[in-house]
Amino acid sequence: MNPEASLASPEASAPRRAESTRWFAGVLAHGAGTMFFVALAFAAGWYRMRGLWVLPAVAPSVLPPCVAGAFLLGVGPLLLRASRVDASTPRRALPWLGGALVSGAGFLATQAAWLHVMFWYRNLRVPEGGAFASAFYGLSALQVVHVGLVLLAVLGAAVSTWRGGDARDAARRALAGWLFTVATFGLLFLAVYLP
Amino acid sequence: MRAGWVRALWTTDHKQVARQYLWGGFGFLLLGGLLALLIRWQWAWPGQPVPGLAWALPESRGALTPPAYTVLFTLHGLVMIFFAVTPLLFGALGHFVLPLAIGARGFAFPRLSAAGFWAYAVGGALVLASFAVRLGPASAGWTSYPPLATPAFTPGVGQTLMTVAILCVGVSAFSYGLNFVVTVVRCRAPGMTWGRMPLVVWGLFYGAVLNVLFVPVLAAATLLLLLDRVAGTQFFIAGAAAVGGGGDPIVYQHLFWLFGHPEVYILILPAWGMVGDFVAYFSRKPAHGYRLTAGAMGAVTAMSGLVYAHHLFTSGLSPVLGRAFMVLTLLISLPAEVMFLNWLMTLWRGSVRLTSPMLGALATMIVFGLGGITGLVLGAVATDVPLHGTMWVVGHFHLTMGAASFLAVFAGLYFWFPKMYGRALHEGLAKAHVLSSAVLFVGVFGGQLAAGYAGQLRRLYDPYQYTYLKPLLPLNQWTTACAFLLGASQLLFVGNLVWTLWRGRAAEPNPWNVGTLEWTCAASPPAPDNFATVPVVLRGPHVLSQPDVQQQLGRDWMGQAEVAPLGGTE
């Protein structure tokens, strides 16, 4: 680091620096969260390799998670647009934030429906389903919790915008959270949902 | 307005949070130490009643039963690692020193510091609560290996409470890890370049990076274990206890050690940083090879996650993988040796002052060196196989993770105590404490190494049931005597601490004559926002014994933010 550059840090940029600090912390936290999911995916991969991945006759189709994934992918561009609206017209972010919430809710609904069908109609139960059922429900639930947290952040940004605030920074942070949930869903898809 | 006690408990001042961690860590250090003494009692006088313990174990009249013994060694390990040494190093010393040493007014996220402490406190409360539940506390070993840690083999709420407690300390470790990394990257004072940070900041920074990366892996393993215990999942339950095919307990071992081995470095990196700084300060010389030392710590950090499977050589690991992990394990010792040589070179021809922090640093060097050398044989497959699961392993990791970290904690505490409380500890008692602890540590853990080399397996309730181990009774009794003396020698510290806090003399502003920001720019104890004005850093932390400084200022040190009368001193 250049000492002069450090010396030149003006006090006037303090809010900007604080926002950058929050952004950096968010990226680190999401990175750590990804490590958490990598560890879970490692466990699921291990069971597959050891032949403990006894896919039941109800072997899940990849179609429902693909639909859920499409909903999840849809959230990102909407958040990106929300984070780039003009500072003078912050309320223009509302439709984008609303769209992101709807798309996120679509993801949650698809996942919930799929897990519901697997549990009640395909009789995939814990503990009878062994390691596969444990990973299927356990890891899906953990990922959904993370998506839910990101959507709560988006909801907070939307409420703040609706009240007249500038929520572009919040949308930017939520975007990092969205990237994280997409990455974890990708891990989940590869490790658990792929037949 | 919040009540005073709420303000005191929910403090966001990093120095106050550090003091909270300090007292919490001391409490658990005492508990873990007492548990260790009971383990030692059992090895010296197996099955004999422990004086004064009949109230806790009335049915055996105070003698340790096999289940009680299992609880002892389980809780000793868990308490010492997760609730004593790590919180003392990071929670207490790290929280106190890091912002001061980089010229920050506090942590980037003060409320996260407070929340982290309370997560730790909740975890600690769960551990204590587990003593009161039916079937007693956790008893599946400190690693909580399944299937032993699953409800099939360790029923009862105690093991579950401990599993949740581990998740709580994981939250705490992650929160301060994140806070430390962000604070070092984003909140350094103007002029505090990476090359001007004290080595202890480097150590804390790297340790924090490892916390952020690998605590989530422990959280994943622990969460799956918790699900197995409370939700009926089948991640780690196998064999006859399993339903629907079950999972595989070995996967837990991989996840656990993927965290567990970096944890060794999490515990030692801040210690290395302290040793690097203290050796320079008290040899009155700049740290030899400062960049190389910081780089070597970085190399160890980078490699720390790549060596974990040497803990699994006997688990049926593929021989090819075994060789790969053996090579990586032996390679990681190289940067550690670079650091060691740099410390020796710093000492070489220095004006060595044997203060209590310096004695602590030298003792840390010695016990860590012994622990490192005895670890090499565990890193190589051929020598690990016969020694695996013996007391050799116990002696080795107690030297590295236990003794070295413990001595570094006290080196740091003796160094920063005047800054923390504004009072000076008695130097003679402090030296006696460090020296006696170091010698007795070598006695205790050296005895364990010898017993392990002779074939004594760890965790045996009564080793002398085996004929070939009967001759080891005198050795274990001698080691137990060292352990009890070690426990007694801690009274030197307790007495010193109590007396100093009650009647101790006020500390001098810069008792160690060093130039780092906490000693030259902040009061003792520091104000809530640390500095009257944020310092502008002009030089590194080890400007010591420079002829031009001595000529201009009449002393052998210079502050990191001190303007030289004639300019130019770097």
Side-chain angles (χ1 to χ4, degrees), chain A residues 6-7 17 21 46-47 127 130 134, chain B residues 186 191 232 234-235 244 248 251 536:
Chain A
S6 175
L7 281 167
R17 280 183 62 80
T21 302
W46 178 279
Y47 297 130
S134 301
Chain B
R186 299 287 307 164
Q234 301 276 297
F235 290 110
D248 188 349
V251 74
V536 175

Side-chain angles (χ1 to χ4, degrees), chain B residues 37 439-444 477-488:
Chain B
L37 293 183
V439 170
L440 291 165
F441 268 134
V442 175
V444 176
Q477 286 176 334
W478 181 84
T479 311
T480 295
C482 286
F484 276 87
L485 283 173
L486 177 63

Side-chain angles (χ1 to χ4, degrees), chain B residues 116-438:
Chain B
F117 170 75
W118 284 106
Y120 162 72
V122 168
L126 291 176
V127 172
L128 297 178
S130 73
F131 281 94
V133 299
R134 198 170 151 265
L135 301 182
S139 56
W142 84 272
T143 51
S144 303
Y145 274 178
L148 194 56
T150 62
F153 296 93
T154 311
V157 184
Q159 188 73 40
T160 307
L161 287 178
M162 180 54 87
T163 311
V164 178
I166 298 298
L167 283 172
C168 288
V169 285
V171 169
S172 169
F174 174 74
S175 64
Y176 59 64
L178 184 76
N179 223 349
F180 282 21
V181 173
V182 175
T183 303
V184 169
V185 172
R186 299 287 307 164
C187 304
R188 282 170 288 135
M192 178 57 86
T193 60
W194 290 94
R196 290 174 178 171
M197 294 197 307
L199 287 167
V200 68
V201 175
W202 276 109
L204 288 165
F205 174 73
Y206 286 134
V209 168
L210 290 180
N211 264 326
V212 171
L213 277 175
F214 292 109
V215 166
V217 180
L218 173 73
T222 309
L223 190 69
L224 295 183
L225 183 60
L226 186 66
L227 288 173
D228 274 6
R229 287 193 68 82
V230 300
T233 54
Q234 301 276 297
F235 290 110
F236 304 131
I237 295 179
V243 180
D248 188 349
I250 292 289
V251 74
Y252 177 89
Q253 295 189 21
H254 280 271
L255 292 177
F256 181 84
W257 286 112
L258 187 53
F259 154 81
H261 199 78
E263 172 70 6
V264 175
Y265 298 105
I266 288 171
L267 288 177
I268 205 64
L269 277 161
W272 284 347
M274 279 185 238
V275 171
D277 278 337
F278 295 172
V279 162
Y281 298 151
F282 298 111
S283 299
R284 312 310 293 172
K285 279 174 69 182
H288 182 88
Y290 168 91
R291 284 171 189 236
L292 206 55
T293 302
M297 283 198 271
V300 168
T301 305
M303 292 180 73
S304 65
L306 304 175
V307 303
Y308 80 94
H310 66 244
H311 294 271
L312 304 172
F313 283 157
T314 59
S315 70
L317 194 74
S318 153
V320 177
L321 274 177
R323 279 188 215 117
F325 278 103
M326 178 179 78
V327 170
L328 286 166
T329 303
L330 297 180
L331 276 178
I332 204 172
S333 62
L334 292 179
E337 283 160 25
V338 167
M339 260 180 307
F340 216 92
L341 288 173
N342 278 341
W343 299 335
L344 292 177
M345 288 300 291
T346 308
L347 284 166
W348 179 252
R349 292 189 170 180
S351 303
V352 175
R353 297 172 186 184
L354 293 175
T355 59
S356 53
M358 180 63 157
L359 284 174
L362 294 175
T364 303
M365 277 174 66
I366 291 166
V367 295
F368 182 78
L370 286 172
I373 287 168
T374 53
L376 288 176
V377 292
L378 299 174
V381 179
T383 41
D384 177 71
V385 170
L387 289 171
H388 191 92
T390 66
M391 292 296 292
W392 179 278
V393 181
V394 180
H396 153 71
F397 76 71
H398 273 85
L399 281 169
T400 49
M401 287 174 75
S405 301
F406 177 98
L407 289 166
V409 163
F410 279 96
L413 193 66
Y414 286 132
F415 186 75
W416 283 297
F417 189 88
K419 182 60 56 182
M420 240 177 181
Y421 286 97
R423 290 171 185 265
L425 287 162
H426 187 277
E427 183 66 359
L429 283 175
K431 287 180 185 177
H433 171 238
V434 170
L435 277 177
S436 58
S437 296

Side-chain angles (χ1 to χ4, degrees), chain B residues 49-77:
Chain B
V50 182
L53 204 67
W55 64 272
L57 298 167
E59 288 177 8
S60 60
R61 295 179 184 173
L64 293 172
T65 57
Y69 170 76
T70 312
V71 165
L72 287 184
F73 70 70
T74 297
L75 283 189
H76 165 69

